[in-house]
Amino acid sequence: MTRSNFSALELKQYLIDIKEHAPQVCVRFRLLGEMWQNYMLRVVAVTENRVLVNDEYKNKLISIDLNTVMQFEVDNKFKVLQPHFHYEVFPAVLT
């Protein structure tokens, strides 16, 4: 059975791992109070509580507060993450 819930801290670690070891993997988020983003995004950098992603379709950088991420998905298998599966994110104190 696929695990479907992750803390914001776990998401942060996955994003760091994707940036460092699997740059071909892109992500898409649904943020608090918003719909799903339209396109998959490439991870550029991860800081204490934010992720900087590149929307290659619109050619723009987007800074996302990890505490506002409600769901995410990836476009390629990475570790335990399956492509196009909507994972829930629960809040965690990010430091």
Side-chain angles (χ1 to χ4, degrees):
M1 180 168 174
T2 302
R3 179 177 171 198
S4 62
N5 294 318
F6 292 93
S7 71
L9 188 58
E10 290 172 304
L11 171 59
K12 176 182 171 181
Q13 188 57 56
Y14 275 116
L15 293 171
I16 291 168
D17 290 349
I18 287 170
K19 167 71 175 103
E20 293 177 355
H21 305 292
Q24 75 282 3
V25 175
C26 292
V27 296
R28 189 168 73 122
F29 303 102
R30 188 177 71 78
L31 305 179
L32 182 63
E34 296 183 16
M35 301 295 286
W36 279 95
Q37 294 167 319
N38 291 329
Y39 308 104
M40 289 289 185
L41 309 165
R42 191 162 315 277
V43 178
V44 175
V46 182
T47 64
E48 294 299 317
N49 60 356
R50 301 189 79 79
V51 59
L52 182 65
V53 291
N54 184 20
D55 180 337
E56 295 174 345
Y57 184 78
K58 293 183 176 179
N59 194 29
K60 72 177 188 177
L61 294 174
I62 303 168
S63 178
I64 295 173
D65 181 342
L66 290 171
N67 289 312
T68 65
V69 176
M70 303 301 295
Q71 293 180 301
F72 75 99
E73 69 174 325
V74 293
D75 65 349
N76 289 293
K77 182 170 175 27
F78 181 72
K79 296 187 176 183
V80 301
L81 302 176
Q82 297 298 317
H84 308 293
F85 183 88
H86 291 178
Y87 293 97
E88 302 286 330
V89 178
F90 55 91
V93 177
L94 296 173
T95 58

